[in-house]
Each structure stands twice: as structure tokens, then as C-alpha cells.
Amino acid sequence: MTEETVAFDVENGIAWVRFNRPDKRNCMNPALNRRMMEVLDELEFRDDVGVLVLSGEGSAWSAGMDLKEYFRETEAKGLGAIRKAQAEAYGWWRRLRWYGKPTIAMVNGWCFGGGYGPLFACDLAFAADEAQFALSEINWGILPGGGATKVVVDLLSMRDAMYHALTGELIDGRKAAAWKLVNESLPLAELKARVTEVANILLKKNPIALKATKDAIRRVAEMTYDNAEDYLVRAQEAANSFDNQGRKEGIRQFIDEKSYKPGLGAYDK
Ligand code: ACO
């Protein structure tokens, strides 16, 4: 029987997707990378999925790339195999960065190296205080590749990114939150409830506006102010063309019906 490398359930609008190699601390081998892309494909356009949460079975979120199967065994097969394995890993992380639904990383435990790719790909991230993060590449003699260097440079201060990458030292969830690698950290026992609460906030929002907003946040980061202004006008007009009623209804319920206040919550979809 083939190993089920990814587990998932859909419940009340939330797709709970889990790295599922707990005996291997959920490190990412080629089979997991291929399966994760299939699972993302299956869930992205389902009407019963409004938010996707990525967590790990057992004590790890993900111990990064599988040093045996992703590196050693793939390298033994030559350059073509290396490029294929990279394309499979980077492919699902990219898919997740631009996912059609909002995504949340729920970091329940170990998170190393290559794990920073999917961590960054998720729109929001919540960690257990007990979780442990490291760019451990330096500990086994490589630089943080596969985007990991870019992730810490984008999210952390230069000094923290440099220290993190050069020392390979572990930081816990609290420090990860202080460094802004994740949004928040809280005791493991409270993590799922908090993530559910945040997912439920997102489920109440207009889904077309959510997708347009999450893409805008990532895109404008690389633009000048003028280019961002132009992009945002076009992005809003494109969103309007798919969702003519949503925003008009939002205005109507506030101005005419006076049934909610946009400053205090979402309109009734
Ligand atoms: N690659 C391959 N196998 C791994 C990995 C990995 N990244 N992480 C864990 N495993 C395997 C172990 O070899 C072990 O296998 P075995 O049961 O067949 O002996 C099994 O998972 C359990 O691992 P332990 O080390 O026994 O678990 P423990 O809970 O004591 O330690 C820890 C957990 C700290 C995560 C440790 O496994 C570890 O250091 N893993 C490597 C972390 C890492 O540096 N990853 C690479 C980052 S760089 C990159 O991703 C490019």
C-alpha cells in the first residue's frame, strides 16, 4: 500500500490539510510533494471550501525537505531528477501562494528549512508557543535555498534574518511571532480553536474580495506607489466584473437598510 503522505478533511467551510508523515517528522519527499499538488487541485474550486488550513500530523509541522529521498536519492539519479523534484516542491508552494481561497499555516511543531516555503505561501500563520523553527541548512552544510532565504529577508529584519540563517539556532513560536515570521503564537492546546476562529471570520467575507485582496497584498509589495495605484484600480474593476452584486449589496445594507456597519463587521452575504 502506498503511504498516504497528505491527509485532509473538509468541515464547515474549512479544508484541514495535514502533512502526514509523522514518523518522518513530516519532511517533504517527492511523493508528498506530488500528492500535495493533487490535494490542492482537488480542494481549490470546491464550493464547500472557503479557507484552507495547513498543519502537520504528530509532533512536526514539517522538518523541511527529506534529506534522504529529496536530496540524496534524487541527486544519485542526475540533474533531470533534481530539477523534477524541485519543480514538484516549488510547484505546490507557488500554487499555494496564489491559491484561490485564503490559507492559514497552523504550525503545531517542528518547522525547518524547506518548510519555510509553504509557511510563506500561506496568507496567515499561527504557531504553537511550543513550535520550533530553524533554518538548519547551515548545520548540514548548505545555504537556505528553495526560497527560504527570500522568505526570511521578506518577513524579518535584516539582522534577525542574518542571525537566523548563519547560526541555524532554533526559535520557539513566541519568538517567531515577535520576529513576524508568524502572526501570533499561543499555547498548542489553544491553537486549533484560534485558527478556527480566524477561519470563521474569513468565511463571512465576500470570497471574490478575499482573493483580490490577498493577491494585491503580495503583488503591490514589489511595485512603486504609482504602479500599485494603477494595479489596484484594475484589480478592483476586474473583481467588480465577477461580482456585480456583492459590493452594491454591501453599500445597500449599510446606507438603505442600516442593518450593519462596515467599520464593525461584514455585510450579510
Ligand atoms: N529528512 C529525512 N529524514 C528525516 C528528516 C528530514 N528532514 N527529519 C526527520 N527525519 C527522519 C529521521 O531520520 C527519523 O527516521 P528513522 O525513524 O527512520 O530513523 C525520523 O524522521 C524521526 O526523526 P528523529 O530525528 O528520530 O525525531 P526527533 O523527534 O528526535 O527529532 C527533529 C526531530 C529535530 C526534527 C530531527 O528529526 C531533525 O533534526 N530533522 C531534520 C531537520 C532539518 O534540518 N531538516 C532539513 C532542513 S534544510 C531543508 O529543508 C533544505
Side-chain angles (χ1 to χ4, degrees), residues 23-25 27 63-67 71 110 112 114 136-137 140:
D23 294 346
K24 298 288 180 185
R25 305 300 178 261
C27 65
M65 308 319 292
D66 187 318
L67 268 53
F71 284 109
W110 302 110
F112 286 101
S136 53
E137 284 87 342
W140 61 281

Side-chain angles (χ1 to χ4, degrees), residues 191-218:
L191 182 63
K192 188 168 183 186
R194 174 67 179 136
V195 168
T196 304
E197 182 181 66
V198 174
N200 283 330
I201 292 171
L202 299 175
L203 286 171
K204 292 202 174 71
K205 312 292 185 197
N206 178 319
I208 289 172
L210 283 173
K211 169 66 173 150
T213 300
K214 57 178 264 175
D215 286 0
I217 294 280
R218 289 186 191 268

Side-chain angles (χ1 to χ4, degrees), residues 11 17-18 20 36 49 58 78 86 92 97 125 134 145 157 185 228:
E11 208 176 74
V17 178
R18 297 178 296 281
N20 190 31
M36 192 63 89
V49 173
Q86 288 168 335
W92 78 260
R97 282 200 302 281
S157 75
S185 162

